[in-house]
Each structure stands twice: as C-alpha cells, then as structure tokens.
Short mmCIF file of all heavy atoms in Angstrom, two decimals:
data_model
loop_
_atom_site.label_atom_id
_atom_site.label_comp_id
_atom_site.label_asym_id
_atom_site.label_seq_id
_atom_site.Cartn_x
_atom_site.Cartn_y
_atom_site.Cartn_z
N MET A 19 18.40 -5.82 -14.44
CA MET A 19 19.61 -5.87 -15.29
C MET A 19 19.93 -7.32 -15.63
O MET A 19 19.93 -8.18 -14.76
CB MET A 19 20.78 -5.24 -14.56
CG MET A 19 21.90 -4.87 -15.49
SD MET A 19 23.05 -3.70 -14.73
CE MET A 19 23.99 -4.81 -13.69
N LYS A 20 20.18 -7.58 -16.90
CA LYS A 20 20.41 -8.95 -17.33
C LYS A 20 21.84 -9.09 -17.85
O LYS A 20 22.29 -8.32 -18.68
CB LYS A 20 19.42 -9.32 -18.43
CG LYS A 20 19.22 -10.82 -18.55
CD LYS A 20 17.89 -11.12 -19.24
CE LYS A 20 17.83 -12.58 -19.62
NZ LYS A 20 17.37 -13.42 -18.54
N HIS A 21 22.54 -10.09 -17.32
CA HIS A 21 23.92 -10.32 -17.73
C HIS A 21 24.00 -11.44 -18.74
O HIS A 21 23.32 -12.44 -18.61
CB HIS A 21 24.80 -10.68 -16.52
CG HIS A 21 24.95 -9.54 -15.56
ND1 HIS A 21 25.87 -8.55 -15.75
CD2 HIS A 21 24.29 -9.25 -14.43
CE1 HIS A 21 25.76 -7.68 -14.76
NE2 HIS A 21 24.82 -8.08 -13.96
N GLU A 22 24.83 -11.25 -19.72
CA GLU A 22 25.07 -12.28 -20.73
C GLU A 22 25.62 -13.55 -20.07
O GLU A 22 26.52 -13.47 -19.25
CB GLU A 22 26.10 -11.74 -21.73
CG GLU A 22 26.18 -12.53 -23.01
CD GLU A 22 25.14 -12.11 -24.02
OE1 GLU A 22 24.54 -11.02 -23.85
OE2 GLU A 22 24.93 -12.84 -24.98
N GLY A 23 25.02 -14.69 -20.41
CA GLY A 23 25.53 -15.95 -19.88
C GLY A 23 25.02 -16.30 -18.51
O GLY A 23 25.40 -17.31 -17.95
N TYR A 24 24.12 -15.44 -17.95
CA TYR A 24 23.57 -15.75 -16.65
C TYR A 24 22.07 -16.00 -16.74
O TYR A 24 21.37 -15.34 -17.50
CB TYR A 24 23.83 -14.61 -15.65
CG TYR A 24 25.27 -14.60 -15.18
CD1 TYR A 24 26.24 -13.89 -15.88
CD2 TYR A 24 25.65 -15.32 -14.06
CE1 TYR A 24 27.56 -13.91 -15.47
CE2 TYR A 24 26.97 -15.34 -13.64
CZ TYR A 24 27.92 -14.63 -14.35
OH TYR A 24 29.22 -14.66 -13.94
N ALA A 25 21.60 -16.97 -15.97
CA ALA A 25 20.19 -17.35 -16.02
C ALA A 25 19.37 -16.55 -15.02
O ALA A 25 18.15 -16.51 -15.12
CB ALA A 25 20.05 -18.85 -15.73
N GLY A 26 20.02 -15.90 -14.05
CA GLY A 26 19.30 -15.12 -13.05
C GLY A 26 20.03 -15.16 -11.72
O GLY A 26 21.20 -15.51 -11.65
N ILE A 27 19.30 -14.79 -10.67
CA ILE A 27 19.85 -14.78 -9.32
C ILE A 27 19.24 -15.95 -8.56
O ILE A 27 18.04 -16.18 -8.61
CB ILE A 27 19.51 -13.45 -8.61
CG1 ILE A 27 20.08 -12.26 -9.39
CG2 ILE A 27 20.03 -13.46 -7.17
CD1 ILE A 27 21.59 -12.18 -9.43
N CYS A 28 20.06 -16.67 -7.84
CA CYS A 28 19.59 -17.82 -7.08
C CYS A 28 18.69 -17.35 -5.93
O CYS A 28 19.09 -16.49 -5.15
CB CYS A 28 20.78 -18.60 -6.55
SG CYS A 28 20.32 -20.04 -5.58
N ALA A 29 17.50 -17.94 -5.82
CA ALA A 29 16.57 -17.57 -4.75
C ALA A 29 17.00 -18.16 -3.41
O ALA A 29 16.43 -17.82 -2.38
CB ALA A 29 15.16 -18.03 -5.11
N CYS A 30 18.01 -19.01 -3.42
CA CYS A 30 18.50 -19.63 -2.18
C CYS A 30 19.69 -18.86 -1.63
O CYS A 30 19.67 -18.43 -0.49
CB CYS A 30 18.86 -21.09 -2.46
SG CYS A 30 19.52 -21.96 -1.03
N CYS A 31 20.74 -18.67 -2.43
CA CYS A 31 21.96 -18.04 -1.92
C CYS A 31 22.16 -16.62 -2.46
O CYS A 31 23.10 -15.94 -2.07
CB CYS A 31 23.18 -18.90 -2.25
SG CYS A 31 23.60 -18.95 -4.01
N PHE A 32 21.28 -16.17 -3.40
CA PHE A 32 21.29 -14.81 -3.94
C PHE A 32 22.56 -14.49 -4.73
O PHE A 32 22.91 -13.33 -4.90
CB PHE A 32 21.05 -13.78 -2.83
CG PHE A 32 19.77 -14.03 -2.09
CD1 PHE A 32 19.79 -14.53 -0.80
CD2 PHE A 32 18.54 -13.84 -2.71
CE1 PHE A 32 18.62 -14.81 -0.13
CE2 PHE A 32 17.36 -14.12 -2.04
CZ PHE A 32 17.40 -14.60 -0.75
N GLU A 33 23.25 -15.51 -5.20
CA GLU A 33 24.39 -15.32 -6.09
C GLU A 33 23.90 -15.48 -7.53
O GLU A 33 22.91 -16.18 -7.77
CB GLU A 33 25.46 -16.39 -5.81
CG GLU A 33 26.10 -16.29 -4.44
CD GLU A 33 27.07 -15.14 -4.33
OE1 GLU A 33 27.65 -14.75 -5.36
OE2 GLU A 33 27.23 -14.63 -3.22
N PRO A 34 24.60 -14.86 -8.53
CA PRO A 34 24.21 -15.05 -9.92
C PRO A 34 24.32 -16.53 -10.32
O PRO A 34 25.22 -17.24 -9.85
CB PRO A 34 25.22 -14.21 -10.70
CG PRO A 34 25.79 -13.25 -9.71
CD PRO A 34 25.73 -13.95 -8.37
N VAL A 35 23.40 -16.96 -11.18
CA VAL A 35 23.39 -18.34 -11.66
C VAL A 35 23.81 -18.34 -13.12
O VAL A 35 23.17 -17.69 -13.94
CB VAL A 35 22.00 -18.97 -11.53
CG1 VAL A 35 22.03 -20.43 -11.94
CG2 VAL A 35 21.47 -18.84 -10.10
N ARG A 36 24.88 -19.03 -13.44
CA ARG A 36 25.31 -19.15 -14.83
C ARG A 36 24.35 -20.06 -15.59
O ARG A 36 23.81 -21.00 -15.03
CB ARG A 36 26.72 -19.76 -14.91
CG ARG A 36 27.80 -18.83 -14.49
CD ARG A 36 29.13 -19.57 -14.48
NE ARG A 36 30.21 -18.72 -14.00
CZ ARG A 36 30.86 -17.86 -14.79
NH1 ARG A 36 30.57 -17.77 -16.06
NH2 ARG A 36 31.81 -17.11 -14.27
N GLN A 37 24.18 -19.77 -16.88
CA GLN A 37 23.36 -20.64 -17.72
C GLN A 37 23.95 -22.04 -17.72
O GLN A 37 25.16 -22.21 -17.80
CB GLN A 37 23.29 -20.09 -19.15
CG GLN A 37 22.22 -19.01 -19.26
CD GLN A 37 22.20 -18.36 -20.63
OE1 GLN A 37 22.87 -18.81 -21.55
NE2 GLN A 37 21.43 -17.29 -20.74
N GLY A 38 23.07 -23.02 -17.59
CA GLY A 38 23.51 -24.40 -17.51
C GLY A 38 23.64 -24.89 -16.08
O GLY A 38 23.68 -26.08 -15.83
N GLU A 39 23.70 -23.93 -15.11
CA GLU A 39 23.77 -24.31 -13.69
C GLU A 39 22.44 -24.06 -12.99
O GLU A 39 22.34 -24.23 -11.78
CB GLU A 39 24.87 -23.52 -12.99
CG GLU A 39 26.26 -23.84 -13.49
CD GLU A 39 27.34 -23.03 -12.76
OE1 GLU A 39 27.01 -22.15 -11.96
OE2 GLU A 39 28.53 -23.32 -13.01
N GLU A 40 21.44 -23.62 -13.77
CA GLU A 40 20.18 -23.22 -13.14
C GLU A 40 19.23 -24.40 -12.97
O GLU A 40 19.32 -25.41 -13.67
CB GLU A 40 19.48 -22.11 -13.94
CG GLU A 40 18.77 -22.57 -15.19
CD GLU A 40 19.67 -22.55 -16.42
OE1 GLU A 40 20.90 -22.69 -16.29
OE2 GLU A 40 19.09 -22.40 -17.52
N TYR A 41 18.35 -24.24 -11.99
CA TYR A 41 17.27 -25.21 -11.80
C TYR A 41 16.00 -24.43 -11.50
O TYR A 41 16.02 -23.48 -10.72
CB TYR A 41 17.57 -26.16 -10.64
CG TYR A 41 16.44 -27.15 -10.45
CD1 TYR A 41 16.37 -28.29 -11.25
CD2 TYR A 41 15.42 -26.90 -9.54
CE1 TYR A 41 15.31 -29.17 -11.12
CE2 TYR A 41 14.37 -27.79 -9.41
CZ TYR A 41 14.31 -28.92 -10.20
OH TYR A 41 13.25 -29.77 -10.08
N ARG A 42 14.91 -24.82 -12.15
CA ARG A 42 13.61 -24.23 -11.83
C ARG A 42 12.61 -25.35 -11.61
O ARG A 42 12.58 -26.31 -12.38
CB ARG A 42 13.11 -23.32 -12.97
CG ARG A 42 13.92 -22.05 -13.11
CD ARG A 42 13.33 -21.08 -14.12
NE ARG A 42 14.25 -19.96 -14.33
CZ ARG A 42 15.18 -19.95 -15.28
NH1 ARG A 42 15.29 -20.95 -16.11
NH2 ARG A 42 16.00 -18.92 -15.38
N PHE A 43 11.81 -25.21 -10.57
CA PHE A 43 10.76 -26.19 -10.34
C PHE A 43 9.72 -26.05 -11.44
O PHE A 43 9.53 -24.95 -11.97
CB PHE A 43 10.14 -25.99 -8.96
CG PHE A 43 11.06 -26.38 -7.84
CD1 PHE A 43 11.79 -25.44 -7.16
CD2 PHE A 43 11.21 -27.72 -7.51
CE1 PHE A 43 12.67 -25.81 -6.16
CE2 PHE A 43 12.08 -28.11 -6.50
CZ PHE A 43 12.80 -27.15 -5.82
N PRO A 44 9.04 -27.15 -11.81
CA PRO A 44 8.08 -27.11 -12.91
C PRO A 44 7.05 -26.00 -12.72
O PRO A 44 6.43 -25.91 -11.67
CB PRO A 44 7.42 -28.49 -12.86
CG PRO A 44 8.43 -29.37 -12.20
CD PRO A 44 9.15 -28.48 -11.22
N GLY A 45 6.91 -25.14 -13.73
CA GLY A 45 5.92 -24.08 -13.68
C GLY A 45 6.36 -22.87 -12.88
O GLY A 45 5.63 -21.88 -12.79
N SER A 46 7.55 -22.90 -12.30
CA SER A 46 8.04 -21.80 -11.46
C SER A 46 8.98 -20.90 -12.25
O SER A 46 9.71 -21.36 -13.11
CB SER A 46 8.77 -22.37 -10.25
OG SER A 46 9.36 -21.30 -9.52
N SER A 47 8.97 -19.60 -11.92
CA SER A 47 9.91 -18.69 -12.56
C SER A 47 11.10 -18.40 -11.66
O SER A 47 12.03 -17.71 -12.06
CB SER A 47 9.20 -17.39 -12.94
OG SER A 47 8.68 -16.78 -11.78
N ALA A 48 11.09 -18.93 -10.42
CA ALA A 48 12.21 -18.70 -9.51
C ALA A 48 13.42 -19.52 -9.95
O ALA A 48 13.29 -20.70 -10.26
CB ALA A 48 11.81 -19.06 -8.09
N THR A 49 14.58 -18.86 -9.98
CA THR A 49 15.81 -19.52 -10.42
C THR A 49 16.63 -19.94 -9.21
O THR A 49 16.77 -19.19 -8.25
CB THR A 49 16.63 -18.54 -11.28
OG1 THR A 49 15.81 -18.08 -12.35
CG2 THR A 49 17.87 -19.22 -11.85
N PHE A 50 17.16 -21.16 -9.27
CA PHE A 50 18.07 -21.66 -8.24
C PHE A 50 19.31 -22.21 -8.92
O PHE A 50 19.28 -22.59 -10.09
CB PHE A 50 17.44 -22.82 -7.46
CG PHE A 50 16.27 -22.43 -6.60
CD1 PHE A 50 14.99 -22.53 -7.10
CD2 PHE A 50 16.46 -21.98 -5.31
CE1 PHE A 50 13.90 -22.18 -6.30
CE2 PHE A 50 15.38 -21.63 -4.51
CZ PHE A 50 14.10 -21.74 -5.01
N HIS A 51 20.43 -22.31 -8.16
CA HIS A 51 21.52 -23.17 -8.60
C HIS A 51 21.03 -24.61 -8.43
O HIS A 51 20.44 -24.93 -7.38
CB HIS A 51 22.76 -23.00 -7.71
CG HIS A 51 23.44 -21.68 -7.86
ND1 HIS A 51 23.43 -20.74 -6.87
CD2 HIS A 51 24.17 -21.19 -8.89
CE1 HIS A 51 24.14 -19.68 -7.28
NE2 HIS A 51 24.59 -19.93 -8.50
N ALA A 52 21.30 -25.46 -9.40
CA ALA A 52 20.96 -26.88 -9.23
C ALA A 52 21.61 -27.42 -7.96
O ALA A 52 21.02 -28.20 -7.22
CB ALA A 52 21.42 -27.67 -10.45
N ARG A 53 22.85 -26.95 -7.67
CA ARG A 53 23.55 -27.47 -6.48
C ARG A 53 22.92 -26.95 -5.18
O ARG A 53 22.98 -27.63 -4.16
CB ARG A 53 25.04 -27.16 -6.53
CG ARG A 53 25.40 -25.72 -6.35
CD ARG A 53 26.88 -25.52 -6.06
NE ARG A 53 27.12 -24.11 -5.78
CZ ARG A 53 27.36 -23.20 -6.72
NH1 ARG A 53 27.45 -23.56 -7.97
NH2 ARG A 53 27.52 -21.94 -6.41
N CYS A 54 22.32 -25.76 -5.21
CA CYS A 54 21.67 -25.26 -3.99
C CYS A 54 20.44 -26.10 -3.66
O CYS A 54 20.19 -26.39 -2.50
CB CYS A 54 21.28 -23.79 -4.15
SG CYS A 54 22.67 -22.68 -3.94
N VAL A 55 19.67 -26.46 -4.69
CA VAL A 55 18.49 -27.30 -4.48
C VAL A 55 18.93 -28.65 -3.90
O VAL A 55 18.27 -29.22 -3.03
CB VAL A 55 17.72 -27.50 -5.80
CG1 VAL A 55 16.58 -28.49 -5.63
CG2 VAL A 55 17.18 -26.16 -6.29
N GLU A 56 20.09 -29.11 -4.39
CA GLU A 56 20.61 -30.40 -3.94
C GLU A 56 21.18 -30.31 -2.51
O GLU A 56 20.92 -31.17 -1.67
CB GLU A 56 21.73 -30.81 -4.90
CG GLU A 56 21.95 -32.29 -5.01
CD GLU A 56 22.91 -32.59 -6.16
OE1 GLU A 56 22.55 -32.32 -7.32
OE2 GLU A 56 24.02 -33.04 -5.86
N LEU A 57 21.93 -29.22 -2.24
CA LEU A 57 22.62 -29.09 -0.95
C LEU A 57 21.71 -28.57 0.15
O LEU A 57 21.91 -28.88 1.32
CB LEU A 57 23.82 -28.14 -1.09
CG LEU A 57 24.99 -28.64 -1.92
CD1 LEU A 57 26.04 -27.54 -2.07
CD2 LEU A 57 25.64 -29.86 -1.27
N TYR A 58 20.74 -27.73 -0.22
CA TYR A 58 19.89 -27.09 0.79
C TYR A 58 18.42 -27.37 0.53
O TYR A 58 17.63 -26.45 0.35
CB TYR A 58 20.13 -25.57 0.80
CG TYR A 58 21.58 -25.18 0.88
CD1 TYR A 58 22.21 -24.56 -0.19
CD2 TYR A 58 22.32 -25.45 2.03
CE1 TYR A 58 23.55 -24.21 -0.14
CE2 TYR A 58 23.66 -25.11 2.09
CZ TYR A 58 24.27 -24.49 1.00
OH TYR A 58 25.59 -24.14 1.05
N PRO A 59 18.03 -28.65 0.51
CA PRO A 59 16.63 -28.98 0.20
C PRO A 59 15.66 -28.44 1.23
O PRO A 59 14.47 -28.33 0.95
CB PRO A 59 16.63 -30.52 0.18
CG PRO A 59 17.80 -30.92 1.01
CD PRO A 59 18.82 -29.84 0.83
N ASN A 60 16.15 -28.08 2.42
CA ASN A 60 15.27 -27.58 3.48
C ASN A 60 15.34 -26.08 3.66
O ASN A 60 14.80 -25.55 4.63
CB ASN A 60 15.58 -28.29 4.80
CG ASN A 60 15.23 -29.77 4.73
OD1 ASN A 60 14.18 -30.13 4.22
ND2 ASN A 60 16.13 -30.61 5.20
N SER A 61 16.05 -25.38 2.74
CA SER A 61 16.06 -23.91 2.85
C SER A 61 14.66 -23.39 2.57
O SER A 61 13.88 -24.00 1.83
CB SER A 61 17.06 -23.30 1.88
OG SER A 61 16.46 -23.04 0.63
N TYR A 62 14.34 -22.24 3.15
CA TYR A 62 12.98 -21.71 3.05
C TYR A 62 12.55 -21.55 1.60
O TYR A 62 11.46 -21.99 1.22
CB TYR A 62 12.89 -20.37 3.80
CG TYR A 62 11.56 -19.70 3.59
CD1 TYR A 62 10.43 -20.20 4.23
CD2 TYR A 62 11.43 -18.61 2.73
CE1 TYR A 62 9.19 -19.61 4.04
CE2 TYR A 62 10.20 -18.02 2.54
CZ TYR A 62 9.09 -18.52 3.18
OH TYR A 62 7.87 -17.93 2.98
N SER A 63 13.38 -20.93 0.77
CA SER A 63 12.95 -20.63 -0.60
C SER A 63 12.83 -21.91 -1.43
O SER A 63 11.94 -22.02 -2.27
CB SER A 63 13.91 -19.64 -1.26
OG SER A 63 15.24 -20.07 -1.13
N VAL A 64 13.70 -22.90 -1.20
CA VAL A 64 13.61 -24.17 -1.93
C VAL A 64 12.33 -24.89 -1.54
O VAL A 64 11.58 -25.38 -2.39
CB VAL A 64 14.84 -25.06 -1.67
CG1 VAL A 64 14.65 -26.45 -2.27
CG2 VAL A 64 16.10 -24.41 -2.23
N LYS A 65 12.04 -24.92 -0.23
CA LYS A 65 10.82 -25.59 0.24
C LYS A 65 9.57 -24.92 -0.31
O LYS A 65 8.63 -25.58 -0.73
CB LYS A 65 10.77 -25.59 1.77
CG LYS A 65 11.66 -26.64 2.37
CD LYS A 65 11.23 -27.18 3.71
CE LYS A 65 11.03 -26.20 4.82
NZ LYS A 65 11.30 -26.79 6.13
N LYS A 66 9.59 -23.58 -0.32
CA LYS A 66 8.43 -22.81 -0.79
C LYS A 66 8.15 -23.11 -2.27
O LYS A 66 7.01 -23.39 -2.65
CB LYS A 66 8.71 -21.32 -0.60
CG LYS A 66 7.51 -20.43 -0.85
CD LYS A 66 7.86 -18.98 -0.61
CE LYS A 66 8.79 -18.46 -1.71
NZ LYS A 66 9.07 -17.02 -1.60
N GLU A 67 9.21 -23.08 -3.10
CA GLU A 67 9.02 -23.30 -4.53
C GLU A 67 8.66 -24.76 -4.81
O GLU A 67 7.86 -25.04 -5.70
CB GLU A 67 10.28 -22.92 -5.32
CG GLU A 67 10.52 -21.42 -5.37
CD GLU A 67 9.34 -20.65 -5.96
OE1 GLU A 67 8.73 -21.11 -6.94
OE2 GLU A 67 9.02 -19.58 -5.42
N ARG A 68 9.23 -25.69 -4.05
CA ARG A 68 8.89 -27.08 -4.25
C ARG A 68 7.42 -27.31 -3.90
O ARG A 68 6.69 -28.00 -4.61
CB ARG A 68 9.79 -27.99 -3.41
CG ARG A 68 9.57 -29.47 -3.73
CD ARG A 68 10.10 -30.40 -2.65
NE ARG A 68 11.54 -30.27 -2.48
CZ ARG A 68 12.13 -29.89 -1.35
NH1 ARG A 68 11.42 -29.65 -0.28
NH2 ARG A 68 13.42 -29.79 -1.28
N HIS A 69 6.99 -26.69 -2.80
CA HIS A 69 5.60 -26.83 -2.37
C HIS A 69 4.65 -26.28 -3.43
O HIS A 69 3.65 -26.91 -3.78
CB HIS A 69 5.42 -26.10 -1.04
CG HIS A 69 4.05 -26.22 -0.46
ND1 HIS A 69 3.51 -27.43 -0.07
CD2 HIS A 69 3.08 -25.30 -0.25
CE1 HIS A 69 2.28 -27.22 0.38
NE2 HIS A 69 1.99 -25.95 0.28
N LYS A 70 4.98 -25.10 -3.98
CA LYS A 70 4.12 -24.51 -5.02
C LYS A 70 4.07 -25.41 -6.24
O LYS A 70 3.02 -25.57 -6.86
CB LYS A 70 4.63 -23.11 -5.40
CG LYS A 70 4.32 -22.08 -4.33
CD LYS A 70 4.38 -20.66 -4.86
CE LYS A 70 5.81 -20.23 -5.22
NZ LYS A 70 5.91 -18.81 -5.54
N ALA A 71 5.21 -26.00 -6.61
CA ALA A 71 5.25 -26.90 -7.77
C ALA A 71 4.39 -28.13 -7.52
O ALA A 71 3.70 -28.61 -8.42
CB ALA A 71 6.71 -27.32 -8.07
N GLU A 72 4.40 -28.62 -6.27
CA GLU A 72 3.57 -29.78 -5.93
C GLU A 72 2.08 -29.43 -6.01
O GLU A 72 1.28 -30.20 -6.53
CB GLU A 72 3.91 -30.28 -4.52
CG GLU A 72 5.20 -31.08 -4.48
CD GLU A 72 5.71 -31.33 -3.08
OE1 GLU A 72 5.06 -30.89 -2.10
OE2 GLU A 72 6.78 -31.95 -2.95
N LEU A 73 1.73 -28.23 -5.53
CA LEU A 73 0.33 -27.80 -5.61
C LEU A 73 -0.10 -27.67 -7.07
O LEU A 73 -1.22 -28.06 -7.42
CB LEU A 73 0.14 -26.46 -4.89
CG LEU A 73 0.29 -26.48 -3.37
CD1 LEU A 73 0.06 -25.10 -2.80
CD2 LEU A 73 -0.67 -27.47 -2.73
N ARG A 74 0.79 -27.12 -7.91
CA ARG A 74 0.44 -26.99 -9.33
C ARG A 74 0.26 -28.36 -9.97
O ARG A 74 -0.63 -28.54 -10.79
CB ARG A 74 1.55 -26.22 -10.07
CG ARG A 74 1.37 -24.72 -10.04
CD ARG A 74 2.33 -24.05 -11.02
NE ARG A 74 3.71 -24.25 -10.60
CZ ARG A 74 4.38 -23.38 -9.83
NH1 ARG A 74 3.82 -22.28 -9.42
NH2 ARG A 74 5.62 -23.64 -9.49
N ALA A 75 1.10 -29.31 -9.58
CA ALA A 75 1.01 -30.66 -10.14
C ALA A 75 -0.33 -31.30 -9.76
O ALA A 75 -1.00 -31.92 -10.58
CB ALA A 75 2.17 -31.52 -9.65
N ILE A 76 -0.72 -31.11 -8.48
CA ILE A 76 -2.00 -31.66 -8.02
C ILE A 76 -3.15 -30.99 -8.78
O ILE A 76 -4.06 -31.68 -9.25
CB ILE A 76 -2.15 -31.42 -6.49
CG1 ILE A 76 -1.13 -32.27 -5.73
CG2 ILE A 76 -3.57 -31.75 -6.04
CD1 ILE A 76 -0.96 -31.87 -4.28
N ALA A 77 -3.08 -29.67 -8.93
CA ALA A 77 -4.15 -28.94 -9.60
C ALA A 77 -4.29 -29.37 -11.06
O ALA A 77 -5.39 -29.40 -11.60
CB ALA A 77 -3.89 -27.44 -9.51
N SER A 78 -3.16 -29.68 -11.71
CA SER A 78 -3.22 -30.02 -13.13
C SER A 78 -3.71 -31.45 -13.34
O SER A 78 -4.15 -31.80 -14.43
CB SER A 78 -1.85 -29.84 -13.77
OG SER A 78 -0.94 -30.81 -13.29
N VAL A 79 -3.67 -32.28 -12.30
CA VAL A 79 -4.15 -33.66 -12.40
C VAL A 79 -5.68 -33.68 -12.35
O VAL A 79 -6.31 -34.49 -13.02
CB VAL A 79 -3.54 -34.53 -11.29
CG1 VAL A 79 -4.24 -35.89 -11.20
CG2 VAL A 79 -2.06 -34.73 -11.54
N LYS A 80 -6.23 -32.77 -11.53
CA LYS A 80 -7.70 -32.74 -11.35
C LYS A 80 -8.45 -32.48 -12.65
O LYS A 80 -8.00 -31.69 -13.45
CB LYS A 80 -8.07 -31.63 -10.35
CG LYS A 80 -7.93 -32.13 -8.92
CD LYS A 80 -8.29 -31.02 -7.94
CE LYS A 80 -7.92 -31.41 -6.52
NZ LYS A 80 -7.92 -30.26 -5.62
ZN1 ZN B 93 22.49 -20.74 -5.12
#
C-alpha cells in the first residue's frame, strides 16, 4: 500500500518516511529516515545497507 507524500517505511525504526525525509544508500532500494541513519549508524539495518553499498562501490570500480 502506497501513501501519498510518503517515500516508504524506514528499515531502521519501521515508521513511515515522508518524502524529503528519506535516505537511501547508493544503489539500495531500502528506505531510511535521514535522521535514523544519522542517529543510529550502528543499527543492524543501517550497517547492513551501508555495507552492501560499499560492496557495490568496490565492484563498480573494478
Ligand atoms: Zn526511521
């Protein structure tokens, strides 16, 4: 279900993310609040998506 004005559900806190408040790691489809990435850099889902983005960056350099 998609709500008008919302970018998705935050993979960190599972609350809806309003458009303009979202953050996605490069190449990732997982949606976060920009503030959750900032406040909880060590949360499992933030670390997982950051790690995947780093792997993609390394792979694209090769
Ligand atoms: Zn959040």
